[in-house]
């Protein structure tokens, strides 16, 4: 029959095993804490990015709601600004301005054949009978040109988050039917 070991040889062994398990559990807890902190940071950054994108989109939508940018691109560049308070605390969370003046990429005169007299958008494109050449008779033998042009524009809005400094530049292309008069000064 085996003899039991003396008690003085067993002292401290269970303490060492307990410390090892405590260190392992502490390491697991720290790893979990770091992972959750990283996830919260990632979600916060994604939220800031979404907020600055939304502010830039609001600026572009506000700008294209009228045709002022087509008549005065430099004036719109100086005046256009949107400030957003997403969390409702009264402080500005993100600010959007234009990175550059709205830029006309191309313009194409609209033929009378492409216009619909019953469409209110096309109504200003028809010339008055009081004009010497109301546009009904083409000068070059092709289809008659109206007083309007289909234009393509590039708008570039820059938005910055006030707290994190996250920034985004949102480029948007739009098409606009506008008066052909004066387009040679703003379109290439």
């Amino acid at each position: 029959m085996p003899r039991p070991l003396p008690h003085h040889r067993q002292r401290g062994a269970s303490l060492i095993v307990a410390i090892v398990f405590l260190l392992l559990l502490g390491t697991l807890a720290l790893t979990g804490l770091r992972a959750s902190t990283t996830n919260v940071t990632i979600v916060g950054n994604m939220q800031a990015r979404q907020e600055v994108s939304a502010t830039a989109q609001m600026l572009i939508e506000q700008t294209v709601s009228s045709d002022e940018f087509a008549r005065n691109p430099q004036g719109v560049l100086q005046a256009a600004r949107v400030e957003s308070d997403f969390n409702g605390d009264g402080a500005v969370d993100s600010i959007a301005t234009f990175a550059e003046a709205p830029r006309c990429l191309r313009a194409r005169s609209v033929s009378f054949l492409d216009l619909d007299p019953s469409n209110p958008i096309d109504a200003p494109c028809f010339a008055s009978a009081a004009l010497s050449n109301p546009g009904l008779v083409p000068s070059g033998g092709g289809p008659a040109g109206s007083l309007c042009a289909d234009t393509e524009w590039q708008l570039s809005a820059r938005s910055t988050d006030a707290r994190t400094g996250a920034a985004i530049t949102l480029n948007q292309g739009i098409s606009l039917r506008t008066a052909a008069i004066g387009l040679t000064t703003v379109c290439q």
Side-chain angles (χ1 to χ4, degrees):
M1 175 159 146
R3 269 182 10 173
L5 294 171
H7 291 287
H8 68 279
R9 289 179 132 192
Q10 293 181 9
R11 284 189 200 157
S14 55
L15 179 62
I16 291 175
V17 170
I19 289 174
V20 168
F21 277 113
L22 186 60
L23 286 173
L24 286 174
L25 288 174
T27 303
L28 286 174
L30 260 162
T31 303
L33 181 64
R34 283 187 186 156
S36 66
T37 303
T38 301
N39 288 339
V40 168
T41 303
I42 290 170
V43 168
N45 289 342
M46 289 175 62
Q47 180 179 354
R49 183 179 188 279
Q50 291 298 327
E51 288 174 357
V52 295
S53 293
T55 304
Q57 190 64 41
M58 282 191 280
L59 176 66
I60 288 175
E61 288 174 8
Q62 174 184 317
T63 302
V64 300
S65 65
S66 79
D67 65 349
E68 176 65 22
F69 72 92
R71 290 177 293 175
N72 185 9
Q74 287 300 322
V76 169
L77 172 67
Q78 300 301 320
R81 179 182 176 99
V82 170
E83 296 178 350
S84 297
D85 176 17
F86 288 102
N87 56 10
D89 65 354
V92 175
D93 293 323
S94 71
I95 300 167
T97 57
F98 277 111
E100 61 183 35
R103 190 167 33 128
C104 181
L105 302 175
R106 66 184 65 89
R108 178 187 66 86
S109 70
V110 178
S111 165
F112 275 112
L113 301 174
D114 295 333
L115 297 175
D116 179 8
S118 64
N119 186 346
I121 295 173
D122 289 345
C125 299
F126 291 98
S128 163
L131 296 175
S132 61
N133 180 6
L136 298 175
V137 180
S139 60
S146 70
L147 295 178
C148 292
D150 285 333
T151 57
E152 294 176 14
W153 292 82
Q154 177 178 336
L155 285 85
S156 182
R158 179 142 180 93
S159 182
T160 305
D161 185 76
R163 184 178 51 84
T164 64
I168 189 170
T169 301
L170 182 66
N171 293 305
Q172 179 82 35
I174 65 159
S175 176
L176 175 71
R177 182 163 287 174
T178 188
I181 298 170
L183 275 180
T184 55
T185 60
V186 292
C187 276
Q188 299 173 351

